[in-house]
Amino acid sequence: MKNNPHITMHLLDTGYCTAWEYHVIRGGRRLRINCHSLVALLHHPQQGWLLWDTGYAPRMLEETAHWPFSLYRRLTPLFLQPELAVAAQLPRWQLIPEDIRYVLLSHFHADHIAGLHDFPTAQLVASRAAYSDVVARRGLNALRRGFIPTLLPTDFSKRVTLITTFTGPTLPVLGPTHDLFADESLLLVPLPGHAHGQLGLLVQTEQGRVLLAADSCWLTRSINENRLPHPLTNFLIDSASDLRHTIQQLHDFSLACPDVTLIPSHCPEALEQGMKVYA
């Protein structure tokens, strides 16, 4: 890669839900694990402050209090604290929500967009394929995609840039990217399967390259060992075949690019290790 700007990155924990480990990875233990919702706070030397997803926020509890979205809590019990919302954590860096210039969305599942209302001035970036898949969904049809429509601000369509082309630098195995600022510092890459049109983000950080892998898998072990989740999870995802292909690609990418740190959004081990480096 060329001599591109280095991004300052901080990983934020916004709360967690619980899930059976043997569901999120085949051969896993029969115990419940905490699947934290990770957000990356990024600073570009010219473009300013950005967010990768917004994670959980108190609004998530409000919107899942009633049918049909109360089913969300039953499927994935939530453990949220108001002080873990991204907006509540920003003062640690002497920031306010209006300082966030861009919010990049990996996909539209509720645990990735629950904090969007807290950033009313940010420019939004998402995949057109991902947005097109959820924009008209309501009720149970939305819940089936993990989407809660009221988590999107009413002016979402006016503030969002929808990514349709990937003609930027090509990554080994993963293919062409979308070069967000045309400087190779932030490269968006398709990672379909878990959600239609899902994106990952390759970040050139001060400590080295990091691939924020969204929900391409739930545990880093899935990538390292090329292990799929339990077939039962196929009822909750967009495409089992695409998910299988994406995990295979990420496994091969990790072998081709051992310098890149891969961080799925909900992996407890990745969060613990990442927080030590990107606190």
Side-chain angles (χ1 to χ4, degrees):
M1 300 182 76
K2 66 185 180 183
N3 186 23
N4 50 340
H6 285 183
I7 303 296
T8 302
M9 185 172 84
H10 308 283
L11 294 182
L12 283 63
D13 175 13
T14 65
Y16 66 92
C17 69
T18 62
W20 290 103
E21 185 180 272
Y22 76 96
H23 283 171
V24 300
I25 188 170
R26 293 186 188 183
R29 298 166 294 175
R30 288 184 175 269
L31 57 78
R32 294 191 77 85
I33 61 173
N34 297 338
C35 295
H36 294 258
S37 187
L38 177 153
V39 167
L41 174 64
L42 308 166
H43 184 262
H44 186 284
Q46 284 79 47
Q47 301 294 336
W49 290 96
L50 308 87
L51 285 176
W52 171 247
D53 287 333
T54 63
Y56 288 125
R59 183 178 290 269
M60 183 73 177
L61 295 177
E62 300 169 16
E63 301 299 345
T64 57
H66 305 289
W67 177 267
F69 299 109
S70 57
L71 289 173
Y72 194 110
R73 287 200 214 177
R74 295 186 183 183
L75 290 171
T76 56
L78 302 176
F79 296 86
L80 310 183
Q81 298 173 331
E83 61 269 25
L84 289 181
V86 175
Q89 295 193 53
L90 289 180
R92 177 181 169 190
W93 294 278
Q94 292 77 52
L95 298 174
I96 60 174
E98 288 73 17
D99 290 323
I100 303 300
R101 294 191 61 197
Y102 298 89
V103 174
L104 316 180
L105 298 175
S106 62
H107 60 297
F108 287 88
H109 285 179
D111 52 336
H112 294 257
I113 66 170
L116 264 182
H117 281 268
D118 294 332
F119 302 97
T121 63
Q123 298 179 55
L124 311 174
V125 178
S127 154
R128 181 177 294 278
Y131 183 57
S132 297
D133 185 58
V134 300
V135 62
R137 294 179 184 270
R138 297 294 182 271
L140 288 172
N141 192 32
L143 181 64
R144 195 176 74 82
R145 291 297 202 201
F147 175 58
I148 300 178
T150 50
L151 291 178
L152 291 186
T154 55
D155 63 348
F156 181 87
S157 62
K158 296 178 181 178
R159 287 196 284 139
V160 70
T161 297
L162 295 173
I163 304 301
T164 59
T165 59
F166 296 86
T167 56
T170 298
L171 299 179
V173 184
L174 296 178
T177 62
H178 180 91
D179 192 348
L180 188 63
F181 295 130
D183 60 10
E184 299 190 23
S185 64
L186 295 165
L187 302 177
L188 292 161
V189 62
L191 296 176
H194 175 79
H196 193 73
Q198 178 179 247
L199 299 173
L201 180 68
L202 185 71
V203 186
Q204 181 68 50
T205 77
E206 296 170 328
Q207 293 85 2
R209 292 192 295 167
V210 175
L211 178 60
L212 298 170
D215 289 5
S216 54
C217 60
W218 283 289
L219 300 179
T220 309
R221 275 188 291 148
S222 291
I223 298 171
N224 295 339
E225 302 170 17
N226 198 11
R227 288 165 64 188
L228 295 169
H230 193 284
L232 281 173
T233 63
N234 289 347
F235 293 102
L236 304 174
I237 65 174
D238 176 60
S239 169
S241 60
D242 284 347
L243 179 69
R244 186 182 309 111
H245 182 62
T246 290
I247 290 177
Q248 177 70 62
Q249 283 188 309
L250 288 172
H251 175 75
D252 294 342
F253 174 79
S254 69
L255 296 178
C257 300
D259 65 298
V260 178
T261 300
L262 279 75
I263 303 180
S265 290
H266 303 301
C267 177
E269 294 176 1
L271 176 62
E272 181 180 0
Q273 295 171 5
M275 292 283 279
K276 294 177 182 177
V277 181
Y278 303 103

